[in-house]
Amino acid sequence: MEVTNRYVVMRNHIDGTPQESDFELKTEALSLSIEPGKKELIVKNLYLSIDPYQLNRMKQKSSSQETTSFARAVKPSEAIDAYGVARVVASGIPAFKEDDLVAGLLTWGEYSIVKEGGLLNKVDNIGFPISHHVGVLAFSGLTAYAGFFEICKPKKGEKVFVSAASGSVGSLVGQYAKLFGCYVVGCASSQKKVDLLKQKLGFDEAFNYKEETDLKSTLKRYFPDGIDIYFDNVGAEMLEAAVENMNTFGRVAVCGVISEYTDKGRRAAPNMVDVIYKRITMQGFLAGDHMKVYKDFISDTVEHIQAGKLQVLEDISHGLESIPSAFVGLFRGDNIGKKMVQLADD
């Protein structure tokens, strides 16, 4: 059997703010049968994760492209890989069979071909919506969990600041911190998001950074006794302000710098005297570095969700055609929670 596979590619490299016109839809004929001896899978994509880090892969050049295979450069007209959940249509790999539900590295398309050795695992659905395996029970969740517990090394009662706190990672970090027993303040880009952080996610305080003219004074107002932990998702001026308000032996987990992805001239310049004399630890990290805590992450997170103690925020667009607008919207702050695209009903 042969189908028409539609997929999304870049028209050109993207070195500034992405636009929907930077992408186009392509089609190809795809046989849904595997030649004898070929070690690969054909899967029908159900959900795809939409993530800001992909922009660095789409640039003509970014230092991140040389660091890990997940961040390698993407070329115009080339298939764009992304994390997602799919259903196996045909298998040439004994470990997988037709109709298996799988999660791993797919492509921005309706179908994906995954070769043996590719990042793909069977999904144990454990009674949750399939979409949870794209966000809260996947790399967004692991990033939040490992970043907070492994990098920040919290102590009960400490004061935690989370930027981009209504996003896929920040919304979970704040909740993990509250469940652990910390005081938590988050920032976001609208009053609607601020209300959600306080009323639904249980943050102690939250503010709209767009309404603040002096971030250093703002953080001093919300943290009169200083910040112990800063979980950074935005970089630039927010990082500078946080460092100025950090306590001695404060910790900064550098998860993302979305404010700097679209502006080559915008870079954080924290006061390094503060870093030295306050003995601040500032560390970048990737979720893949912390697979050793994966079992604890899944166990703890599932327990919190089932007990109603952890709220899952998902922002789902529908249809392959919505991928460009979903991706572009990340850089306008459109999403609340984990952004993903549903391509098909299971």
Side-chain angles (χ1 to χ4, degrees):
M1 179 181 175
E2 188 174 274
V3 297
T4 297
N5 180 37
R6 300 185 305 154
Y7 59 104
V8 175
V9 300
M10 293 189 303
R11 294 179 186 271
N12 43 260
H13 287 292
I14 306 171
D15 288 309
T17 302
Q19 308 294 327
E20 290 182 44
S21 58
D22 291 321
F23 302 94
E24 63 179 334
L25 199 64
K26 288 200 168 189
T27 61
E28 63 180 358
L30 176 67
S31 172
L32 296 184
S33 60
I34 294 175
E35 295 176 16
K38 269 200 169 183
K39 300 292 186 181
E40 61 186 25
L41 301 173
I42 300 173
V43 301
K44 184 175 183 179
N45 300 336
L46 303 178
Y47 289 86
L48 290 174
S49 175
I50 306 296
D51 299 291
Y53 85 90
Q54 294 275 34
L55 184 60
N56 293 319
R57 304 180 63 208
M58 298 173 181
K59 295 178 180 179
Q60 187 83 37
K61 186 177 181 181
S62 171
S63 58
S64 62
Q65 295 170 359
E66 307 297 326
T67 59
T68 171
S69 60
F70 295 113
R72 70 168 183 82
V74 178
K75 298 175 183 177
S77 297
E78 178 182 83
I80 299 169
D81 52 7
Y83 195 84
V85 174
R87 185 70 71 177
V88 175
V89 174
S91 174
I93 303 174
F96 297 92
K97 64 180 185 297
E98 187 177 337
D99 288 332
D100 278 347
L101 187 65
V102 294
L105 211 53
L106 310 175
T107 55
W108 278 11
E110 294 174 320
Y111 292 86
S112 299
I113 297 175
V114 183
K115 298 188 181 302
E116 187 173 40
L119 175 63
L120 202 70
N121 295 290
K122 291 182 183 180
V123 170
D124 178 359
N125 208 26
I126 52 180
F128 291 123
I130 292 175
S131 56
H132 283 20
H133 297 280
V134 180
V136 65
L137 298 177
F139 279 107
S140 293
L142 180 59
T143 298
Y145 187 93
F148 183 63
F149 291 106
E150 296 293 297
I151 303 299
C152 297
K153 296 180 172 58
K155 302 179 184 69
K156 292 185 188 302
E158 286 193 314
K159 295 171 284 295
V160 177
F161 174 47
V162 184
S163 56
S166 65
S168 63
V169 174
S171 62
L172 296 172
V173 171
Q175 292 185 83
Y176 284 136
K178 283 301 300 176
L179 288 167
F180 187 74
C182 295
Y183 175 83
V184 183
V185 176
C187 71
S189 60
S190 70
Q191 188 59 45
K192 176 183 177 181
K193 293 179 180 180
V194 167
D195 292 342
L196 179 145
L197 293 176
K198 293 194 290 185
Q199 296 169 13
K200 184 171 183 177
L201 303 190
F203 281 58
D204 293 287
E205 286 290 350
F207 64 90
N208 179 356
Y209 69 87
K210 290 185 176 181
E211 295 180 347
E212 303 294 337
T213 57
D214 183 345
L215 291 173
K216 293 176 181 178
S217 297
T218 299
L219 290 182
K220 181 66 176 177
R221 187 167 75 247
Y222 282 97
F223 293 97
D225 298 318
I227 300 168
D228 298 303
I229 290 171
Y230 173 41
F231 199 100
D232 186 20
N233 291 302
V234 301
E237 300 89 347
M238 195 68 74
L239 175 58
E240 295 172 12
V243 166
E244 179 161 311
N245 283 277
M246 297 291 289
N247 287 328
T248 303
F249 298 111
R251 287 87 71 205
V252 180
V254 185
C255 176
V257 287
I258 193 170
S259 69
E260 301 180 18
Y261 292 164
T262 56
D263 185 345
K264 290 188 289 187
R266 193 175 186 184
R267 293 291 181 268
N271 186 336
M272 296 310 291
V273 172
D274 280 344
V275 174
I276 295 167
Y277 283 92
K278 293 181 183 179
R279 285 87 89 198
I280 295 169
T281 299
M282 191 179 302
Q283 184 176 341
F285 71 100
L286 298 174
D289 299 333
H290 298 279
M291 295 307 293
K292 68 180 184 297
V293 302
Y294 182 79
K295 287 185 178 180
D296 289 340
F297 149 63
I298 290 293
S299 175
D300 291 349
T301 303
V302 166
E303 181 180 331
H304 291 324
I305 295 172
Q306 290 177 333
K309 295 179 179 179
L310 188 75
Q311 303 300 313
V312 180
L313 302 182
E314 295 177 339
D315 192 329
I316 303 175
S317 297
H318 298 272
L320 185 76
E321 297 86 352
S322 71
I323 289 179
S325 61
F327 182 70
V328 168
L330 292 175
F331 302 91
R332 295 192 299 254
D334 291 352
N335 62 298
I336 295 179
K338 177 60 189 174
K339 187 64 194 178
M340 64 184 80
V341 172
Q342 183 178 2
L343 299 176
D345 293 324
D346 186 40

